[in-house]
Short mmCIF file of all heavy atoms in Angstrom, two decimals:
data_model
loop_
_atom_site.label_atom_id
_atom_site.label_comp_id
_atom_site.label_asym_id
_atom_site.label_seq_id
_atom_site.Cartn_x
_atom_site.Cartn_y
_atom_site.Cartn_z
N GLU A 462 0.84 -1.21 0.02
CA GLU A 462 -0.01 0.08 -0.02
C GLU A 462 0.79 1.35 0.04
O GLU A 462 0.37 2.34 -0.33
CB GLU A 462 -0.96 0.04 1.21
CG GLU A 462 -0.37 0.12 2.56
CD GLU A 462 0.11 -1.24 3.09
OE1 GLU A 462 0.15 -2.28 2.48
OE2 GLU A 462 0.53 -1.17 4.38
N VAL A 463 2.22 1.20 0.39
CA VAL A 463 2.97 2.35 0.23
C VAL A 463 4.12 2.13 -0.73
O VAL A 463 5.09 2.89 -0.74
CB VAL A 463 3.60 2.67 1.75
CG1 VAL A 463 2.55 3.00 2.73
CG2 VAL A 463 4.47 1.50 2.27
N GLY A 464 3.95 1.17 -1.59
CA GLY A 464 4.86 0.95 -2.82
C GLY A 464 6.06 0.08 -2.41
O GLY A 464 6.99 -0.01 -3.16
N GLU A 465 5.99 -0.63 -1.30
CA GLU A 465 7.06 -1.65 -1.04
C GLU A 465 6.87 -2.86 -1.75
O GLU A 465 5.81 -3.26 -1.92
CB GLU A 465 7.31 -1.85 0.42
CG GLU A 465 7.76 -0.78 1.20
CD GLU A 465 8.05 -0.96 2.70
OE1 GLU A 465 7.39 -1.75 3.27
OE2 GLU A 465 9.09 -0.61 3.21
N THR A 466 8.02 -3.50 -2.15
CA THR A 466 7.98 -4.83 -2.62
C THR A 466 9.04 -5.68 -1.84
O THR A 466 9.67 -5.12 -1.05
CB THR A 466 8.12 -4.88 -4.19
OG1 THR A 466 9.57 -4.35 -4.46
CG2 THR A 466 7.26 -4.00 -5.01
N GLU A 467 9.27 -6.90 -2.34
CA GLU A 467 10.30 -7.71 -1.77
C GLU A 467 11.65 -7.25 -2.11
O GLU A 467 12.56 -7.48 -1.31
CB GLU A 467 10.23 -9.20 -2.30
CG GLU A 467 8.98 -9.96 -1.84
CD GLU A 467 7.75 -9.62 -2.61
OE1 GLU A 467 7.84 -8.89 -3.75
OE2 GLU A 467 6.73 -10.24 -2.23
N THR A 468 11.90 -6.27 -3.14
CA THR A 468 13.05 -5.71 -3.40
C THR A 468 13.12 -4.20 -3.24
O THR A 468 14.01 -3.57 -3.83
CB THR A 468 13.49 -6.14 -4.72
OG1 THR A 468 12.61 -5.78 -5.73
CG2 THR A 468 13.69 -7.77 -4.70
N ARG A 469 12.10 -3.70 -2.74
CA ARG A 469 12.06 -2.11 -2.63
C ARG A 469 11.55 -1.82 -1.20
O ARG A 469 10.41 -2.26 -0.80
CB ARG A 469 11.25 -1.44 -3.68
CG ARG A 469 11.10 0.01 -3.51
CD ARG A 469 10.36 0.62 -4.63
NE ARG A 469 10.07 1.97 -4.51
CZ ARG A 469 10.80 2.97 -4.76
NH1 ARG A 469 11.95 2.73 -5.41
NH2 ARG A 469 10.54 4.21 -4.59
N VAL A 470 12.46 -1.27 -0.38
CA VAL A 470 12.31 -1.05 1.09
C VAL A 470 12.17 0.46 1.39
O VAL A 470 13.20 1.19 1.01
CB VAL A 470 13.30 -1.70 2.09
CG1 VAL A 470 13.11 -1.44 3.46
CG2 VAL A 470 13.50 -3.18 1.71
N LEU A 471 11.07 0.95 1.87
CA LEU A 471 11.04 2.36 2.25
C LEU A 471 11.58 2.66 3.59
O LEU A 471 11.25 1.93 4.57
CB LEU A 471 9.59 2.80 2.23
CG LEU A 471 8.81 2.90 0.92
CD1 LEU A 471 7.58 3.39 1.04
CD2 LEU A 471 9.60 3.63 -0.07
N MET A 472 12.50 3.60 3.76
CA MET A 472 13.08 3.87 5.01
C MET A 472 12.43 5.18 5.47
O MET A 472 11.86 5.97 4.79
CB MET A 472 14.61 4.16 4.83
CG MET A 472 15.29 2.96 4.20
SD MET A 472 15.22 1.56 5.16
CE MET A 472 16.37 1.80 6.47
N TRP A 473 12.39 5.42 6.80
CA TRP A 473 11.65 6.47 7.53
C TRP A 473 12.30 7.78 7.15
O TRP A 473 11.56 8.80 6.84
CB TRP A 473 11.88 6.30 8.94
CG TRP A 473 10.98 7.33 9.74
CD1 TRP A 473 11.49 8.30 10.51
CD2 TRP A 473 9.62 7.49 9.86
NE1 TRP A 473 10.49 9.07 10.94
CE2 TRP A 473 9.32 8.65 10.66
CE3 TRP A 473 8.50 6.66 9.44
CZ2 TRP A 473 7.92 8.94 10.97
CZ3 TRP A 473 7.22 7.03 9.68
CH2 TRP A 473 6.95 8.14 10.43
N SER A 474 13.63 7.92 7.10
CA SER A 474 14.18 9.21 6.80
C SER A 474 15.65 9.05 6.23
O SER A 474 16.16 7.99 6.21
CB SER A 474 14.39 10.06 8.12
OG SER A 474 15.32 9.57 8.89
N GLN A 475 16.24 10.07 5.80
CA GLN A 475 17.65 9.96 5.28
C GLN A 475 18.63 9.60 6.55
O GLN A 475 19.62 9.13 6.15
CB GLN A 475 18.05 11.31 4.82
CG GLN A 475 18.18 12.62 5.60
CD GLN A 475 16.95 13.51 5.39
OE1 GLN A 475 15.85 13.00 5.14
NE2 GLN A 475 17.25 14.78 5.76
N LEU A 476 18.28 9.80 7.73
CA LEU A 476 19.16 9.56 8.87
C LEU A 476 19.15 7.95 9.00
O LEU A 476 20.14 7.45 9.11
CB LEU A 476 18.68 10.15 10.15
CG LEU A 476 18.65 11.70 10.15
CD1 LEU A 476 18.23 12.30 11.31
CD2 LEU A 476 20.03 12.30 9.76
N GLU A 477 18.00 7.36 8.82
CA GLU A 477 17.81 6.02 8.92
C GLU A 477 18.47 5.25 7.83
O GLU A 477 19.27 4.29 7.83
CB GLU A 477 16.32 5.57 8.95
CG GLU A 477 16.19 4.15 9.10
CD GLU A 477 14.65 3.63 9.15
OE1 GLU A 477 13.90 4.18 8.37
OE2 GLU A 477 14.38 2.62 9.76
N LEU A 478 18.37 5.83 6.56
CA LEU A 478 19.00 5.31 5.40
C LEU A 478 20.41 5.51 5.41
O LEU A 478 21.23 4.62 5.11
CB LEU A 478 18.45 5.99 4.07
CG LEU A 478 18.99 5.48 2.77
CD1 LEU A 478 18.39 4.09 2.50
CD2 LEU A 478 18.28 6.32 1.67
N ASN A 479 20.99 6.64 6.01
CA ASN A 479 22.41 6.84 6.16
C ASN A 479 23.00 5.82 7.06
O ASN A 479 24.01 5.20 6.73
CB ASN A 479 22.68 8.18 6.75
CG ASN A 479 24.12 8.48 6.62
OD1 ASN A 479 24.83 8.67 5.82
ND2 ASN A 479 24.65 8.59 8.03
N ALA A 480 22.24 5.54 8.23
CA ALA A 480 22.74 4.41 9.19
C ALA A 480 22.86 3.08 8.39
O ALA A 480 23.71 2.37 8.61
CB ALA A 480 21.82 4.25 10.36
N LEU A 481 21.96 2.80 7.45
CA LEU A 481 21.95 1.48 6.81
C LEU A 481 23.03 1.56 5.90
O LEU A 481 23.84 0.57 5.78
CB LEU A 481 20.61 1.39 5.99
CG LEU A 481 20.49 0.06 5.14
CD1 LEU A 481 20.21 -1.12 5.97
CD2 LEU A 481 19.43 0.39 4.01
N TYR A 482 23.37 2.69 5.16
CA TYR A 482 24.39 2.81 4.18
C TYR A 482 25.74 2.66 4.89
O TYR A 482 26.68 1.85 4.34
CB TYR A 482 24.35 4.15 3.55
CG TYR A 482 25.62 4.33 2.50
CD1 TYR A 482 25.78 3.55 1.45
CD2 TYR A 482 26.61 5.30 3.00
CE1 TYR A 482 26.84 3.76 0.58
CE2 TYR A 482 27.74 5.55 2.05
CZ TYR A 482 27.77 4.61 0.96
OH TYR A 482 28.90 4.87 0.20
N GLU A 483 25.95 3.24 6.10
CA GLU A 483 27.22 3.05 6.81
C GLU A 483 27.46 1.76 7.29
O GLU A 483 28.46 1.23 7.44
CB GLU A 483 27.25 4.09 8.03
CG GLU A 483 27.19 5.48 7.49
CD GLU A 483 27.35 6.52 8.80
OE1 GLU A 483 26.63 6.04 9.86
OE2 GLU A 483 27.87 7.49 8.67
N ARG A 484 26.34 0.91 7.48
CA ARG A 484 26.47 -0.47 8.01
C ARG A 484 26.72 -1.49 6.90
O ARG A 484 27.55 -2.34 6.99
CB ARG A 484 25.15 -0.80 8.78
CG ARG A 484 25.19 -2.07 9.54
CD ARG A 484 23.93 -2.24 10.45
NE ARG A 484 22.73 -2.43 9.76
CZ ARG A 484 21.70 -1.58 9.69
NH1 ARG A 484 21.73 -0.44 10.31
NH2 ARG A 484 20.66 -1.83 9.01
N ILE A 485 26.00 -1.26 5.72
CA ILE A 485 26.18 -2.37 4.56
C ILE A 485 26.81 -1.82 3.38
O ILE A 485 26.98 -2.59 2.49
CB ILE A 485 24.77 -3.10 4.48
CG1 ILE A 485 23.81 -2.09 3.90
CG2 ILE A 485 24.38 -3.81 5.75
CD1 ILE A 485 22.57 -2.66 3.51
N GLY A 486 26.90 -0.49 3.20
CA GLY A 486 27.45 0.02 2.00
C GLY A 486 26.29 -0.02 0.84
O GLY A 486 25.09 -0.04 1.10
N GLY A 487 26.80 -0.01 -0.48
CA GLY A 487 25.83 -0.13 -1.61
C GLY A 487 26.06 1.16 -2.61
O GLY A 487 27.05 1.83 -2.34
N THR A 488 25.30 1.34 -3.50
CA THR A 488 25.37 2.39 -4.51
C THR A 488 24.24 3.27 -4.13
O THR A 488 23.10 2.97 -4.00
CB THR A 488 25.28 1.77 -5.96
OG1 THR A 488 26.12 0.74 -6.14
CG2 THR A 488 25.35 2.88 -6.92
N VAL A 489 24.75 4.62 -4.04
CA VAL A 489 23.77 5.58 -3.70
C VAL A 489 23.36 6.44 -5.07
O VAL A 489 24.31 6.88 -5.68
CB VAL A 489 24.42 6.60 -2.64
CG1 VAL A 489 23.35 7.63 -2.28
CG2 VAL A 489 24.80 5.79 -1.48
N THR A 490 22.21 6.55 -5.16
CA THR A 490 21.62 7.57 -6.26
C THR A 490 20.58 8.53 -5.80
O THR A 490 20.04 8.29 -4.72
CB THR A 490 21.03 6.71 -7.41
OG1 THR A 490 20.02 5.83 -7.01
CG2 THR A 490 22.13 5.85 -8.09
N SER A 491 20.29 9.50 -6.52
CA SER A 491 19.33 10.45 -6.12
C SER A 491 18.61 10.76 -7.46
O SER A 491 19.07 10.91 -8.54
CB SER A 491 19.96 11.65 -5.60
OG SER A 491 19.08 12.72 -5.34
N ARG A 492 17.19 11.08 -7.26
CA ARG A 492 16.50 11.59 -8.40
C ARG A 492 15.41 12.40 -7.98
O ARG A 492 14.95 12.34 -6.73
CB ARG A 492 16.01 10.48 -9.36
CG ARG A 492 14.96 9.46 -8.57
CD ARG A 492 14.58 8.29 -9.42
NE ARG A 492 13.54 7.65 -8.56
CZ ARG A 492 12.48 7.07 -9.26
NH1 ARG A 492 12.22 7.23 -10.44
NH2 ARG A 492 11.65 6.46 -8.43
#
């Protein structure tokens, strides 16, 4: 109902997403 799928996860804020990125890495994009 909020657009999530098994491969798309919505994070609460950029602070939460930043903590995730610092923990596991990955490729960052913006649009």
Side-chain angles (χ1 to χ4, degrees):
E462 68 274 9
V463 295
E465 286 185 323
T466 66
E467 290 81 7
T468 58
R469 182 174 169 85
V470 180
L471 295 182
M472 304 299 282
W473 184 255
S474 72
Q475 67 261 28
L476 300 176
E477 184 183 31
L478 187 61
N479 185 66
L481 177 78
Y482 175 72
E483 288 178 334
R484 198 171 62 248
I485 64 173
T488 303
V489 182
T490 56
S491 173
R492 66 183 183 137

